[in-house]
Amino acid sequence: MSRKALLLVLTLGLVAMGAAAGIVLAFEGRDQSRRTHNAYLRHANAICQTYAKRLDRIPPPLDPASPGAVYESIGLALPLLREQSAKVRALTPPRALRATVDRFFALTDQSLGHLERTRLHAGRRELFPMVQSLAAFGKARDAAKRVRRSVGFKC
């Protein structure tokens, strides 16, 4: 085989190996991204399951028009909700989910702020502001739930 032919064969072989390596790395990167995404959701959802069991033990107010009942119920739930949020937030989301997860936490923070104000008004026996804050909480919570579904959270 001539020197030119040998050089051509070697060059083509290197190009083919490079292309094959690139394809393998591209698919491996995609698989790694998928594994990271799934691992993140598994971890976040495990945290949520733990807190859901604890939150289920808190009875809702028997009379939502009773500021005392609302105050007590929120007082038990709010620390758990904040703790849950902090633990899930401490996880590093995959790059592809970061913007959506940030939006989820912004809405979650907003809803928890409304819930805190609801408790404050309930403690002061301010019925109308309590009901307004509770309605604002529900609206922010529902918006967070919509984003939550797009992330894949089950909490």
Side-chain angles (χ1 to χ4, degrees):
M1 186 180 285
S2 74
R3 209 174 157 157
K4 282 185 177 181
L6 183 59
L7 189 58
L8 180 62
V9 169
L10 287 174
T11 303
L12 289 175
L14 287 174
V15 168
M17 284 175 39
I23 290 169
V24 167
L25 287 174
F27 282 109
E28 184 178 295
R30 207 174 300 151
D31 286 347
Q32 178 63 32
S33 174
R34 194 173 306 129
R35 279 193 300 268
T36 301
H37 180 101
N38 290 339
Y40 171 76
L41 289 177
R42 260 193 320 277
H43 207 119
N45 288 331
I47 292 169
C48 292
Q49 277 185 325
T50 300
Y51 280 89
K53 289 174 186 172
R54 292 171 67 187
L55 288 163
D56 284 346
R57 288 188 227 131
I58 298 171
L62 294 176
D63 181 5
S66 165
V70 170
Y71 182 85
E72 185 178 336
S73 183
I74 292 174
L76 295 170
L78 192 57
L80 291 177
L81 292 168
R82 288 202 184 283
E83 195 176 300
Q84 174 185 351
S85 179
K87 286 194 177 190
V88 175
R89 190 185 304 248
L91 303 175
T92 303
R95 189 175 308 142
L97 287 178
R98 282 188 190 138
T100 309
V101 168
D102 288 347
R103 177 75 179 133
F104 169 76
F105 282 118
L107 290 165
T108 297
D109 291 345
Q110 190 178 63
S111 72
L112 294 178
H114 289 302
L115 198 57
E116 193 170 317
R117 281 188 290 288
T118 301
R119 185 169 192 263
L120 177 71
H121 292 302
R124 293 178 182 164
R125 307 284 194 242
E126 300 168 341
L127 192 56
F128 185 67
M130 179 189 84
V131 171
Q132 287 179 313
S133 293
L134 195 55
F137 159 74
K139 191 174 182 179
R141 179 206 56 214
D142 292 348
K145 281 182 175 183
R146 285 189 294 277
V147 175
R148 175 198 76 188
R149 283 190 289 273
S150 70
V151 171
F153 289 150
K154 293 182 174 135
C155 53

